[in-house]
Amino acid sequence: MRLFFGLFASLLFLPFGCIEPLIKPVEKNSTEYSERYRPQFHFSPKSNWMNDPNGLIFENDRYHLFYQFYPDSTVWGPMHWGHATSKDLTHWTNQPIALYPDSLGYIFSGSAVVDYKNSSGLGREDQPAMVAIFTYHNMEYERLGREDYQTQGIAYSLDHGMTWEKYNRNPVIQNPGIKDFRDPKVFWHEASQKWILILVAGDHARIYNSTNLIDWTFLNVFGHNEGAHGGVWECPDLFPLTTDQGEQKWILIVSVNPGGPQGGSATQYFVGDFDGQKFTTDQKEIKWLDFGRDNYAGVTYNDSPGGKRILMGWMSNWDYAQETPTISWRSAMTLPRSLELKEHKSGFYLVQNPIIEPSIIGKTEEFDVSQVKDGVLLPAGQFQLEFDLDLSKKTVFELSNPVDRFVFSINPESGHMIIDRRDSGPIEFSEKFAPEQQIINYTPEARPAKVAIFCDASSIEIFVDSGRYVFTNQVFPEQPYNRLQILSDGVISKKIIFSELKSIWHE
């Protein structure tokens, strides 16, 4: 959760809870969600500003997505928690704003749990409370030059997240005198029979535990000398994953801004161990969750069905987030992705598998690779593409319209995967949006790799090698990309499978 202090330094801090407009579900075939660049199969707010996903929780047969929201402008302002729900992680219903700023501060990022055993006493065993844990940001304290302007508070809901009450003795964690003390992620740790909370404090993470979600004990720190430190650490998450070989490891996700591999904000991860008290790792290299420019502040769902670990991120970059060429709304979320942990001779790595509800898959066609080398016209502007390529051979993949083009290429001679969006559409809104190609290193092994590409009205997400290498990027073409061309001999599939993806907002 980043604060643009200079932009809002002149604002007087006031409690913002006096007026609470409701956000109604979008009716099918309404004119909303039809604006230029509006995503059709990604979540975006009905209007105004959105950033970090917050409070991701599955409860009462629904996935809840809370998010950083400013209901009065398309640029960052006094933070609220927006709210949407879904039964399938694809179709979303907007809900009323969940949390409003109050006299303790703006409502910055955090998480949510369901207190099934009523450890907090805020609900009942037959009516467990959904508890939100978030950062209060006190603007007045920050303007006065104090470093303790961020504290942690809680709120609770007894009606499945539809209405909320703030805890009457907030904050539950005071600031020990640390700047950038924020973004708590909470989960139940079965082995220790405790709630665990991890937050970030400038350049490191801090771990706490509790028996009741109210009284927290500080345990340990991680990260002073590990990972990327090009900017402030934000939005941590800590969870276990088990490899195909049955080995369990713990994954710590931490976003950093700036300092990403392509510039601006990005998300790193660590693979290690957690004993209920501290997180440790012998990882030496920096591991990035996404090699594109537009996946930030991603966290995972608590209590997902079947124990799946599902991540969703904010599809933007703080380098230009407030300048993108949309009018009534700004920002979208990435596709949700299920995470798996794999092991290679070089170590552990995460793979991401995009989640798409089959009901939005429309017309499907197969194109011969020989056709695609000459270029083919695509029957729809929002789509999924699937094919296999050989990682040891050169590949150049191009999506275009009569005036714009987006290029993804693989060069085994240099050992690079490359994204080029310099000609993808209007880019002049920010000199930081596409100053150069995006380049990452990879190992050019002679083996097949599955590729899936998802193109929406203003984004392209590419999953290479079954989700080992992921590239998430915004694009703003003058018109939908309607032509596909794949050059060179790297594609080894006989067919390119094209699937139209229908709007989740309109019939």
Side-chain angles (χ1 to χ4, degrees):
M1 171 67 254
R2 183 183 180 187
L3 173 67
F4 286 86
F5 175 70
L7 185 61
F8 293 96
S10 62
L11 290 176
L12 294 176
F13 184 85
L14 295 172
F16 291 85
C18 51
I19 300 175
E20 301 190 4
L22 298 183
I23 300 179
K24 297 179 180 179
V26 176
E27 297 180 1
K28 290 287 186 178
N29 298 317
S30 71
T31 57
E32 296 166 348
Y33 285 85
S34 298
E35 306 94 330
R36 187 184 189 193
Y37 301 134
R38 173 69 83 163
Q40 293 302 303
F41 57 89
H42 292 79
F43 178 79
S44 59
K46 181 179 176 182
S47 61
N48 295 311
W49 171 267
M50 177 184 76
N51 56 289
D52 307 358
N54 299 150
L56 302 187
I57 183 94
F58 180 81
E59 187 268 349
N60 195 34
D61 294 326
R62 282 177 172 79
Y63 294 92
H64 292 262
L65 165 63
F66 300 94
Y67 53 89
Q68 292 286 276
F69 183 55
Y70 182 39
D72 296 327
S73 176
T74 55
V75 297
W76 192 97
M79 286 289 97
H80 302 54
W81 270 26
H83 186 201
T85 55
S86 174
K87 291 186 176 182
D88 59 10
L89 286 171
T90 297
H91 298 88
W92 294 94
T93 299
N94 287 306
Q95 302 292 353
I97 292 173
L99 298 175
Y100 288 74
D102 59 39
S103 61
L104 294 179
Y106 299 170
I107 310 297
F108 273 21
S109 292
S111 53
V113 297
V114 178
D115 188 11
Y116 287 108
K117 296 181 180 180
N118 197 31
S119 65
S120 63
L122 298 174
R124 301 192 307 266
E125 288 197 20
D126 64 339
Q127 190 180 20
M130 183 185 290
V131 180
I133 305 94
F134 55 87
T135 295
Y136 270 120
H137 185 102
N138 190 311
M139 287 291 291
E140 181 179 356
Y141 282 12
E142 186 181 19
R143 282 196 294 269
L144 291 172
R146 295 173 57 162
E147 293 197 335
D148 62 346
Y149 53 81
Q150 291 181 337
T151 57
Q152 315 313 314
I154 63 174
Y156 60 97
S157 170
L158 301 179
D159 58 1
H160 308 293
M162 293 299 106
T163 61
W164 292 84
E165 184 169 341
K166 307 269 183 56
Y167 180 57
N168 61 9
R169 287 186 287 163
N170 276 333
V172 295
I173 300 180
Q174 294 285 355
N175 190 311
I178 300 174
K179 187 178 179 181
D180 298 320
F181 178 76
R182 58 177 180 252
D183 305 344
K185 176 64 186 279
V186 173
F187 63 93
W188 176 255
H189 185 243
E190 188 67 25
S192 65
Q193 291 289 292
K194 297 282 182 67
W195 295 102
I196 300 297
L197 180 151
I198 183 167
L199 55 76
V200 282
D203 65 347
H204 67 281
R206 295 169 67 88
I207 300 172
Y208 299 73
N209 71 8
S210 173
T211 59
N212 60 9
L213 293 169
I214 295 169
D215 302 299
W216 293 94
T217 299
F218 170 68
L219 300 175
N220 225 306
V221 301
F222 170 81
H224 282 298
N225 301 306
E226 293 86 7
H229 287 274
V232 174
W233 279 23
E234 299 186 298
C235 301
D237 197 356
L238 180 63
F239 52 87
L241 284 177
T242 302
T243 68
D244 294 339
Q245 291 74 39
E247 183 175 3
Q248 185 185 81
K249 303 296 288 185
W250 282 78
I251 313 301
L252 172 60
I253 289 176
V254 178
S255 292
V256 59
N257 177 51
Q262 310 298 343
S265 47
T267 301
Q268 61 185 318
Y269 69 92
F270 304 87
V271 181
D273 298 289
F274 178 66
D275 63 2
Q277 297 278 325
K278 62 182 178 180
F279 175 81
T280 56
T281 181
D282 57 7
Q283 177 179 311
K284 302 303 180 184
E285 76 278 24
I286 298 171
K287 296 179 182 289
W288 296 104
L289 190 71
D290 197 305
F291 296 99
R293 293 211 68 195
D294 293 307
N295 184 359
Y296 190 64
V299 287
T300 64
Y301 271 89
N302 282 334
D303 300 340
S304 294
K308 287 186 177 180
R309 188 55 56 175
I310 299 170
L311 177 135
M312 186 178 290
W314 173 48
M315 193 157 52
S316 197
N317 188 308
W318 279 118
D319 267 358
Y320 44 77
Q322 302 194 102
E323 303 170 38
T324 53
T326 59
I327 297 173
S328 64
W329 58 278
R330 187 162 276 129
S331 297
M333 295 299 176
T334 68
L335 284 176
R337 298 112 184 253
S338 64
L339 301 182
E340 296 179 11
L341 183 64
K342 303 290 185 181
E343 187 173 7
H344 186 265
K345 59 185 179 182
S346 61
F348 295 99
Y349 63 92
L350 289 178
V351 298
Q352 302 174 57
N353 300 295
I355 297 172
I356 283 284
E357 167 61 31
S359 64
I360 73 165
I361 298 176
K363 179 188 299 182
T364 296
E365 292 190 22
E366 294 184 351
F367 297 112
D368 290 334
V369 172
S370 58
Q371 289 178 270
V372 180
K373 286 183 178 180
D374 295 328
V376 294
L377 293 179
L378 301 174
Q382 280 86 237
F383 53 83
Q384 174 184 352
L385 295 171
E386 298 174 278
F387 55 90
D388 293 341
L389 55 79
D390 186 332
L391 289 174
S392 68
K393 295 182 179 180
K394 185 176 181 179
T395 300
V396 180
F397 166 96
E398 181 179 296
L399 285 170
S400 64
N401 60 39
V403 293
D404 308 313
R405 69 179 191 138
F406 174 93
V407 182
F408 168 64
S409 59
I410 295 179
N411 186 340
E413 292 184 4
S414 62
H416 290 154
M417 293 184 184
I418 304 166
I419 296 287
D420 191 342
R421 64 175 180 181
R422 292 176 295 180
D423 297 316
S424 61
I427 65 171
E428 65 278 358
F429 58 86
S430 171
E431 63 182 15
K432 294 183 178 181
F433 181 73
E436 56 191 17
Q437 296 175 325
Q438 303 167 27
I439 300 174
I440 72 154
N441 298 320
Y442 85 105
T443 302
E445 302 169 291
R447 61 179 179 84
K450 293 186 178 299
V451 178
I453 298 174
F454 296 83
C455 182
D456 205 341
S458 54
S459 65
I460 296 176
E461 291 161 283
I462 303 176
F463 299 80
V464 180
D465 200 10
S466 299
R468 180 175 184 177
Y469 304 98
V470 181
F471 304 83
T472 302
N473 282 283
Q474 294 181 91
V475 289
F476 300 96
E478 294 286 359
Q479 55 187 270
Y481 298 123
N482 63 354
R483 186 173 185 272
L484 166 65
Q485 187 171 18
I486 298 180
L487 306 172
S488 75
D489 298 320
V491 176
I492 56 177
S493 305
K494 292 182 179 179
K495 304 284 186 179
I496 306 293
I497 301 174
F498 168 95
S499 298
E500 176 188 5
L501 296 177
K502 297 181 290 186
S503 173
I504 63 174
W505 307 111
H506 305 285
E507 297 289 356

